[in-house]
């Protein structure tokens, strides 16, 4: 691929998205469940979650400094977009803190408001492209449903409620999900294309430096499918 691609959507029904290390947790799940190619914890899909994916060609200038820098840049795009809506958002730049539930953990590039997580990010590096994913909480989440489905103690639901926030909580009203999804997709696509155009005009083509071992996974090249972008 040569051109960045961005998609954003909100699920109409509840479901689960599990990190690749959580394969065993899928047994006995009654909801629609997908296993991601990226790592991270369980994500509760539904009308409360705005998911987005930005697919970049491997030659994109924002990938030259590796996965950590890419995550911070991707998170900053979300932070600035949310600030444009009047939300006092900040990017997390601390150490990785893993948890079985995605929104109870912390990773660099994720977006917080008053220390509470609003947007989670993940990424997968392939030979010809990199996929950067995000999930932004739009409205109150039924965390007890997630805990019940994965056989976790009910106390975990309270922890998740206390360590997260939502767009509705920040603004005092429920956002227009379709409009926000369309707006975010355009914002991500335009920002990535502007970066590529600027880099091309300021420097000669140069060999892409070796990045070392990707933080997620190297997979075989192939066509991009809708279900691959939104696992």
């Amino acid at each position: 691929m040569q051109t960045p691609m961005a998609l954003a959507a909100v699920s109409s029904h509840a479901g689960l998205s599990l990190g690749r290390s959580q394969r065993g947790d899928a047994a006995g799940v009654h909801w629609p469940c997908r296993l991601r190619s990226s790592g991270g914890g369980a994500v509760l899909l539904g009308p409360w979650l705005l998911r987005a994916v930005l697919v970049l060609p491997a030659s994109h200038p924002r990938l030259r400094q590796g996965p950590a820098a890419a995550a911070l840049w991707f998170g900053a795009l979300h932070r600035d977009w949310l600030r444009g809506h009047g939300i006092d958002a900040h990017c997390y730049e601390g150490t990785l803190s893993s948890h079985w539930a995605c929104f109870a953990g912390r990773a660099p590039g994720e977006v917080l408001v008053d220390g509470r997580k609003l947007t989670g990010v993940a990424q997968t590096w392939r030979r010809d492209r990199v996929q950067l994913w995000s999930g932004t909480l739009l409205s109150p989440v039924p965390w007890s449903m997630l805990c019940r489905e994965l056989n976790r103690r009910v106390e975990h639901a309270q922890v998740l409620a206390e360590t997260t926030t939502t767009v509705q909580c920040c603004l005092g009203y429920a956002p227009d999900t379709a409009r926000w999804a369309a707006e975010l997709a355009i914002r991500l696509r335009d920002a990535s294309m502007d970066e590529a155009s600027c880099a091309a005009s300021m420097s000669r083509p140069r060999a892409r430096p070796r990045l070392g071992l990707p933080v997620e996974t190297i997979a075989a090249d192939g066509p991009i499918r809708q279900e691959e972008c939104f696992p």
Side-chain angles (χ1 to χ4, degrees), residues 131-143:
Q131 293 162 288
L132 302 171
W133 286 289
S134 70
T136 300
L137 300 178
L138 297 178
S139 56
V141 183
W143 294 118

Side-chain angles (χ1 to χ4, degrees), residues 23-46:
R23 184 175 301 273
D25 291 336
V29 170
H30 300 95
W31 293 341
C33 181
R34 291 184 178 271
L35 292 171
R36 302 191 302 273
S37 58
S38 68
V43 177
L44 183 62
L45 309 179

